[in-house]
Amino acid sequence: MSDSSLRLVWVYPDLLSTYGDQGNALVVERRARQRGLDVQRVDVRSDQPIPTSGDIYLIGGGEDRPQRLAAERLRRDGGLNRAAENGAIIFSVCAGYQILGHEFINDLGEREPGLGLLDVVSTRGEGARCVGDVLADIDPRLGLPQLTGFENHQGVTHLGPTARPFARTVFGNGNGTGDGTEGAFNETVFGTYMHGPVMARNPQIADLLLKLALDVNALPPTDDRWYEALRSERIAAASQPA
Amino acid sequence: MAGHPGNPEPLSPRAKLAVTAGKAAAAVSRAAGRGSGSVIGGRVALKLDPELLGRLAQHLDVVLVSATNGKTTTTRLIAEALRASGPVVSNALGANMPAGITSALAGGSDAKYGVIEVDEKYLAGVARDVAPKAIALLNLSRDQLDRAAETRMLAEKWREGLSGTKAVVIANADDPLVVWAASSSANVVWVAAGQEWKDDAWSCPACGGVMQRPGDDWFCGECGFRRPAPSWALSGDHVLDPHGSAWPIHLQLPGRANRANAATSAAVAAVFGVPPQVALERMYQVQAVAGRYDVVSFQGRDLRLLLAKNPAGWLETFSLIDPPPTPVILSVNARGADGTDTSWLWDVDYTRLAGHPIVVIGDRRLDLAVRLEVAGLDFRVCETVDEAVQLSPPGRIELIANYTAFQDVRRRVGN
């Protein structure tokens, strides 16, 4: 951590906050405060420089044109790449996930360079949009319970050798590659297609980011009964699609 | 219907047959207990005569009303205002796609005006078919993202569909997406109707630049796209007309958003020669629309029923409810008609409910529970509206629900 407070950076809400993903920032902030941490949340609009001294960076999903604009501005700004070099924890969703990779297909149907922070390449799927509840098993190395989320995308994301699948789907599409992978991660950078928002349904992901940022192995417990109730309901719902 | 007496061009035999077949289908649907039958009736009629909608409309002066929020209420307000000048036919029950619109128009053979609510996705097509005299555009914001088109793409479709229209477009100058959509039209009347929700218009619809929003103004810092000078405005509880006269708004409907709808409706009425004073006086007649804003008595308590379907709608609703300690019941479903993704709950600022006793119900009460927990609010979770009402402390209860949750509540409380 840079000083006594945890700096949580919410990247480009003007472009990438269309699918409720700011809930991830709210959950991380809330769970940090419940542990008595002093949190400074910084919302960075796309005409402002990305601070390089943040501890956790969150990027959400957005529509196709804002996604291209965000990629252009993030590349020009360079701040997120510098933050990553500084060891910051970065968690991205959907359009934001694609931006962190090497490239994706933009709204003009062209290949748009990403930030290269995750070893993934995204294309656009030919079939129907992937919409619905997802259930997946998170990579056991991360020590997290099952992943529940809502997907709503047409992307197909292929993982390169230095990215690991974040999870293996039990129900739903995830990366859309047909190989059952969902999301990607390396030591400090995470990507997922899951909305919901994903932290509301999987608060332990928020805790994982806090532990990585604080470099601790455990956090004081919180009262998670509503999260747990929601998780049970959604996991059951994903297993029995309507 | 036996044609349009007194109209220069009576319906063709094919159109008459289509209308008759449509009414028969509607009657069968009603008899089977499957709703009003207006949609099935319209579908049958349109199949027999695909140009029926245009044919039915050609004898009318038509106003189209579209938006993400406020369509149904504004349609009612405009219809009431125009009745000052002649009979009106309207799809007052909110069946707002081509089949429902066709069915509504088929029932209004003696009307002079057609006041038609149109689903956002169908506006361009309906505008082409019915050659409206006026089109009212209120607002555009995120809604049902799991199945609807992207919000900015909707604005783009409106813009393309309305370019070259002969209609007078009455549009909200305070919504950049609406301004972008309307500015392809030659004849626009801008109304400063306001919009609390701003989170779908931070990037310029023209060039993608970041929007600057000092006070009530807005402009793009890069391409110069900016808020047009309005000729009508909502100012508190008055409408300012183009001459600068202020006319009081008296509505039975609550809230800033409905005063905005009244301001737009007054501007529409003026296009048809109905003066604002007359139009606004008539709007007082409009009571609860399809149960919305209704106060019902249930288990000895007064419940006000408020419909809010998306983040912009919830925001406007929070601003009209009675202050704490008024109890609030929230109900959210995620069935087909609601959109099946509940992520949007996180775009709603529930901290605005701080101080209200809160009970949550609905199919997705657990999503709401987590949302409120993270917002740091106290709340209780109940299975049913009955239980929620029993748990609520004394006083009139504000009940806010999204689409199918609202229908569920209406059915239960006997409204």
Side-chain angles (χ1 to χ4, degrees), chain A residues 3-18:
Chain A
D3 49 45
S4 64
S5 73
L6 182 96
R7 287 192 84 191
L8 173 63
V9 183
W10 175 223
V11 177
Y12 291 0
D14 55 323
L15 296 175
L16 297 174
S17 185
T18 307

Side-chain angles (χ1 to χ4, degrees), chain A residues 118-203:
Chain A
L118 270 176
D119 187 12
V120 302
V121 170
S122 299
T123 58
R124 197 169 293 173
E126 300 293 317
R129 208 173 162 82
C130 303
V131 182
D133 270 295
V134 173
L135 179 62
D137 295 317
I138 295 179
D139 187 315
R141 269 167 285 220
L142 297 173
L144 298 175
Q146 275 192 309
L147 175 69
T148 156
F150 191 95
E151 64 182 338
N152 180 9
H153 66 97
Q154 199 154 17
V156 174
T157 297
H158 295 274
L159 275 59
T162 69
R164 291 197 185 105
F166 181 59
R168 300 267 169 191
T169 55
V170 180
F171 294 100
N173 298 282
N175 286 330
T177 44
D179 60 2
T181 64
E182 190 321 275
F185 75 106
N186 55 36
E187 282 69 32
T188 53
V189 184
F190 298 79
T192 177
Y193 273 111
M194 297 301 101
H195 301 287
V198 68
M199 308 274 185
R201 293 195 188 189
N202 307 274

Side-chain angles (χ1 to χ4, degrees), chain B residues 68-70 139-143 195-198 200 255-258 293 306-321 344 347-350 352 400-402:
Chain B
T68 302
N69 290 316
N139 53 69
L140 274 177
S141 66
R142 62 189 66 178
D143 189 25
Q195 191 181 16
E196 271 196 71
W197 173 260
K198 302 198 165 25
D200 285 301
R256 191 215 70 83
N258 281 322
Y293 313 111
L306 301 164
L307 174 70
K309 294 185 281 194
N310 47 49
W314 281 79
L315 200 58
E316 295 279 9
T317 303
F318 289 163
S319 70
L320 69 79
I321 61 174
W344 60 268
D347 290 327
V348 177
D349 181 11
Y350 285 96
R352 295 265 303 265
I400 312 174
N402 73 340

Side-chain angles (χ1 to χ4, degrees), chain A residues 208-222:
Chain A
L208 171 71
L209 304 190
L210 290 172
K211 285 189 264 187
L212 290 170
L214 299 166
D215 197 17
V216 297
N217 289 323
L219 293 169
T222 46

